[in-house]
Amino acid sequence: MNIAMIGSGQIGGTLGKAWAAKGHRVTFGSREPLGERMRALLESIGPNAAAASVREAAAFGEIVVLAVPGTEIERVLEEAGSLRRKIVVNATILFDGRSADAEVRRLADGARVVRAFHTSTWEALANPRFGEANATLFLSGDDEEAKQAVIRLGAEAGFDMVDAGGAEAMAEVEKALYSFWTVLSPRFGRDYAIRVLRREEAQPS
Ligand SMILES: NC(=O)c1ccc[n+]([C@@H]2O[C@H](COP(=O)([O-])OP(=O)(O)OC[C@H]3O[C@@H](n4cnc5c(N)ncnc54)[C@H](OP(=O)(O)O)[C@@H]3O)[C@@H](O)[C@H]2O)c1
């Protein structure tokens, strides 16, 4: 697929690299597509990655992944232009009490928004394999077809994807994960992950 990665840091760089390695074409939408940091990132990824402005990347992507600071959501969506009917995957977090998910759904007019790739640390994103198990990531959204595309992409990058339900479902998941975080991170640091065990569906191991 053609994937636009808006943001080229810990989350964007990590996921972009994983998907390029699986044969997807990744274009980073960046404030500095010609900068030294981007040059080094592209070099580390190889021929399936390129960089462009946010608008150019968004036009290129069938899937547009938002991996910028939550405070930049409005700016990058404005710069991206129309995302109508595109799958917009929102990995951003806001730390001011507002829901980044609600913000993106409000601002990305006509887009098929999926909330995903924000429920683990980037360290776990970079290396989702823990012994014999892959880390679970949660996603949510109201567009079932868009979620299936994101589940496939997540699985390709090595994650056990769990669909939490419609867009409103994620708030409860986030609350629970935050509780785990406060208990677990003092003991395990940032490089731990949650795995959901279940019997009802076959899972990639
Ligand atoms: N790190 C984690 O463990 C983690 C986990 C879950 C969710 N998140 C969320 O995922 C999003 C991305 O996190 P990250 O850790 O990847 O952040 P990061 O390493 O700081 O990267 C953010 C990227 O956003 C772009 N950007 C655009 N405007 C920016 C601005 N004003 N200041 C800084 N960067 C700007 C930059 O790319 P260009 O320079 O190419 O424009 C930068 O590489 C955030 O919303 C974060 O809360 C992070």
Side-chain angles (χ1 to χ4, degrees):
M1 293 191 90
N2 290 350
I3 300 173
M5 191 63 70
I6 311 301
S8 57
Q10 314 279 37
I11 300 287
T14 300
L15 289 174
K17 189 172 199 165
W19 288 326
K22 290 289 175 186
H24 297 288
R25 297 201 305 154
V26 176
T27 294
F28 291 97
S30 172
R31 295 167 299 173
E32 284 193 86
L34 301 176
E36 179 54 32
R37 197 180 59 80
M38 184 61 76
R39 196 192 58 72
L41 177 64
L42 296 182
E43 213 170 273
S44 77
I45 297 179
N48 283 340
S53 68
V54 168
R55 181 164 292 246
E56 288 164 338
F60 164 85
E62 298 157 80
I63 293 200
V64 178
V65 181
L66 301 179
V68 295
T71 49
E72 295 292 314
I73 290 171
E74 190 158 3
R75 182 185 65 77
V76 296
L77 286 178
E78 201 168 298
E79 194 177 335
S82 173
L83 297 173
R84 186 160 289 279
R85 298 306 300 153
K86 291 199 189 239
I87 298 175
V88 171
V89 182
N90 178 18
T92 68
I93 297 179
L94 270 166
F95 295 97
D96 61 5
R98 287 178 299 153
S99 156
D101 188 25
E103 275 301 283
V104 171
R105 285 188 285 126
R106 181 175 70 83
L107 293 167
D109 195 27
R112 305 156 76 193
V113 178
V114 178
R115 183 72 164 133
F117 303 111
H118 69 302
T119 58
S120 81
T121 61
W122 78 265
E123 289 88 340
L125 280 190
N127 188 6
R129 193 84 174 157
F130 290 79
E132 293 299 303
N134 293 1
T136 291
L137 294 185
F138 297 89
L139 73 153
S140 64
D142 292 332
D143 186 314
E144 295 301 325
E145 201 183 79
K147 280 196 293 192
Q148 287 309 315
V150 174
I151 286 171
R152 283 193 295 275
L153 278 178
E156 280 186 67
F159 304 105
D160 164 49
M161 302 297 285
V162 171
D163 182 356
E168 303 302 332
M170 187 56 80
E172 287 302 321
V173 174
E174 288 171 358
K175 263 189 243 168
L177 292 177
Y178 185 72
S179 298
F180 276 122
W181 171 257
T182 56
V183 173
L184 299 180
S185 67
R187 293 176 56 200
F188 302 140
R190 294 175 51 85
D191 197 7
Y192 78 90
I194 303 285
R195 170 77 190 203
V196 176
L197 302 174
R198 64 269 195 210
R199 298 187 198 282
E200 69 269 25
E201 48 189 334
Q203 289 302 315
S205 59

